[in-house]
Amino acid sequence: MPSFLMATTKRDYYEVLGVERGASAEEIAKAFRQKAMEFHPDRNKSPDAEQKMKEVNEAYFVLRDEQKRAQYDQFGHNGPRSQQGVGFDGVGDMAGFGDIFDAFFGGTRAGSPFGGTRASAAQRGQDLAVELVLEFQEAAFGVEKEFEISHTETCIRCRGSRSEPGSQPQVCTTCKGTGEIRRAQRSVFGQFVNIAVCSTCGGEGRVVTNKCTQCHGAGLERKKKTIAVRVPGGVSTGSQIRLTNEGDAGRLGGPTGNLYVNITVKPHPLFDREQDHILYTLPVTVTQAALGDEIEIPTLDGSVSMKVPSGTQPGTVFRLKGKGVPHLRGIGRGDQLVTIDVVIPKSLDAKQKKLFQDLDETLKRPDLTKKGKGFFERLKETLTP
């Protein structure tokens, strides 16, 4: 029995931790941490601090385990001691020390018997990412694209084993094939075992002595590959497509990573896009707006005829239903919103000035005391079904 678990005077374990006999596991763990912080010799310099710390650890060592706790509740201090190889008759159960490290070092130590595991020999392949630039129409209606990537693949010659065909990796002499190095250390709390990944074999337990001549012992080869991807209609800048198992190959049987295609859409010379709606500004003359006209409007599907009623005001928005971008995750399309921009001539010849002057004399001046509708109000009316 380790000396730090001995106590000259046996106190009730529940009394040691300051909890009721019916306390939950969470309450017991919380009480242990508080007591450990209180009596840790590095914090508490009183002569009996070390002895109290031993009592606290012993009490928690029993009460944290349901089986030991049940035996203690029934048989007292003799109950947990009756089992060989567990409890206080050995250091096989080190979980109590894990909570001490939690309390004083802020978490479980990686590679120790208190938590964490050594890295698995099999490793997942790296994820890759590429940027795909699309034309405006390609993003709207979808397209199939091909591009070339550079990624790793499992070596054909050694099939990822890293050894020359006909040879096998040897058992690591440092860790004896376990992939771990165990070192026993003593502290104020007694002996504990530190487990670290073997630096010779990297935790694999095997060492390649006859490396594959094709991949030079890497098990992987970097190659170029042409990828075809179907881009659905309705994508926009920032959209991402995942191609499963098209990334780098995994090591030692690990799964292949994924390839992520990040979409960037080029701007259009005529159109802007707002979600699935196409925005287009139509320039018209003063006479077209005043008298009305029928005008050919460009759309993603080609030109369509649109009637501009007489008396159309600047900023008026017309909707061409179903002429927008296809919905990415649904049926149907957005609309094309056409905003009227009345172009005022910057220069007039004498005849044009006379005509405007004659027209001005016949027109009623606008009422300056009334507020007209703004652009966004007109746009809202257009978007409302």
Side-chain angles (χ1 to χ4, degrees):
M1 181 191 311
S3 60
F4 75 96
L5 294 178
M6 297 289 290
T8 56
T9 302
K10 288 294 183 181
R11 296 173 57 203
D12 180 78
Y13 289 151
Y14 294 99
E15 179 185 345
V16 170
L17 294 181
V19 297
E20 301 292 336
R21 298 191 73 85
S24 65
E26 291 78 10
E27 292 172 333
I28 291 174
K30 181 178 179 181
F32 167 75
R33 289 185 174 90
Q34 292 174 344
K35 294 292 184 180
M37 293 290 288
E38 180 182 352
F39 296 116
H40 188 274
D42 290 344
R43 294 172 174 266
N44 192 327
K45 300 303 181 181
S46 61
D48 62 345
E50 183 176 351
Q51 180 61 36
K52 288 184 180 297
M53 186 68 242
K54 294 176 183 178
E55 293 180 349
V56 167
N57 194 70
E58 180 177 338
Y60 180 66
F61 213 57
V62 170
L63 299 185
R64 64 173 292 276
D65 185 279
E66 291 185 4
Q67 184 176 357
K68 296 187 183 76
R69 182 178 178 181
Q71 293 174 347
Y72 173 74
D73 289 343
Q74 186 173 3
F75 302 108
H77 292 289
N78 291 328
R81 294 170 58 91
S82 63
Q83 289 188 333
Q84 296 295 324
V86 297
F88 307 121
D89 294 319
V91 293
D93 185 353
M94 302 292 288
F97 302 118
D99 289 279
I100 294 176
F101 285 115
D102 282 347
F104 297 115
F105 300 105
T108 305
R109 303 198 327 183
S112 75
F114 317 124
T117 58
R118 70 179 178 89
S120 173
Q123 299 177 15
R124 183 180 181 275
Q126 186 76 21
D127 289 336
L128 302 178
V130 297
E131 182 182 15
L132 184 61
V133 180
L134 302 178
E135 298 293 338
F136 196 89
Q137 288 90 338
E138 290 176 335
F141 296 114
V143 66
E144 186 167 328
K145 288 283 189 177
E146 289 188 351
F147 53 88
E148 189 177 68
I149 65 167
S150 175
H151 71 161
T152 59
E153 297 180 0
T154 301
C155 176
I156 297 177
R157 180 174 178 81
C158 69
R159 296 183 180 180
S161 71
R162 303 181 296 159
S163 298
E164 268 291 288
S167 64
Q168 296 292 331
Q170 302 299 311
V171 175
C172 177
T173 57
T174 302
C175 65
K176 311 302 182 185
T178 64
E180 300 173 340
I181 300 297
R182 296 171 177 253
R183 295 183 178 90
Q185 298 181 5
R186 285 191 173 275
S187 71
V188 66
F189 304 115
Q191 178 175 296
F192 67 95
V193 179
N194 180 49
I195 303 176
V197 176
C198 176
S199 59
T200 302
C201 64
E204 296 177 12
R206 300 286 187 273
V207 177
V208 176
T209 56
N210 187 16
K211 295 182 179 180
C212 172
T213 56
Q214 184 166 320
C215 66
H216 307 290
L220 301 171
E221 297 180 280
R222 183 157 293 278
K223 294 185 177 181
K224 291 186 177 181
K225 179 180 180 180
T226 299
I227 299 289
V229 58
R230 177 66 190 174
V231 180
V235 296
S236 57
T237 295
S239 296
Q240 187 179 74
I241 300 173
R242 183 181 67 185
L243 301 179
T244 305
N245 297 331
E246 293 291 358
D248 283 343
R251 296 183 69 252
L252 302 176
T256 303
N258 300 323
L259 174 64
Y260 292 90
V261 181
N262 299 314
I263 302 296
T264 298
V265 182
K266 291 182 179 181
H268 194 279
L270 297 177
F271 305 131
D272 289 317
R273 180 174 170 181
E274 181 66 33
Q275 296 181 349
D276 289 340
H277 296 310
I278 295 296
L279 308 181
Y280 174 69
T281 300
L282 174 64
V284 299
T285 66
V286 174
T287 54
Q288 285 178 306
L291 302 176
D293 198 0
E294 190 162 330
I295 306 175
E296 290 292 313
I297 306 296
T299 72
L300 292 176
D301 303 298
S303 296
V304 297
S305 180
M306 188 187 82
K307 184 177 180 180
V308 178
S310 61
T312 296
Q313 300 299 306
T316 301
V317 180
F318 295 96
R319 176 165 59 178
L320 300 179
K321 196 169 181 62
K323 291 299 182 181
V325 177
H327 300 313
L328 180 60
R329 295 180 178 85
I331 300 174
R333 296 171 58 174
D335 303 326
Q336 179 165 321
L337 307 178
V338 181
T339 302
I340 299 299
D341 179 23
V342 179
V343 180
I344 306 299
K346 295 182 179 180
S347 62
L348 299 171
D349 59 27
K351 182 179 180 180
Q352 290 172 330
K353 286 183 179 179
K354 181 65 169 62
L355 291 172
F356 269 104
Q357 289 170 353
D358 293 341
L359 176 63
D360 182 58
E361 292 177 359
T362 64
L363 295 176
K364 182 181 179 181
R365 298 288 180 173
D367 188 350
L368 302 180
T369 63
K370 293 183 178 181
K371 181 181 178 181
K373 293 182 179 180
F375 167 76
F376 290 105
E377 289 178 305
R378 293 192 294 268
L379 179 62
K380 183 177 180 181
E381 290 178 352
T382 302
L383 294 175
T384 303

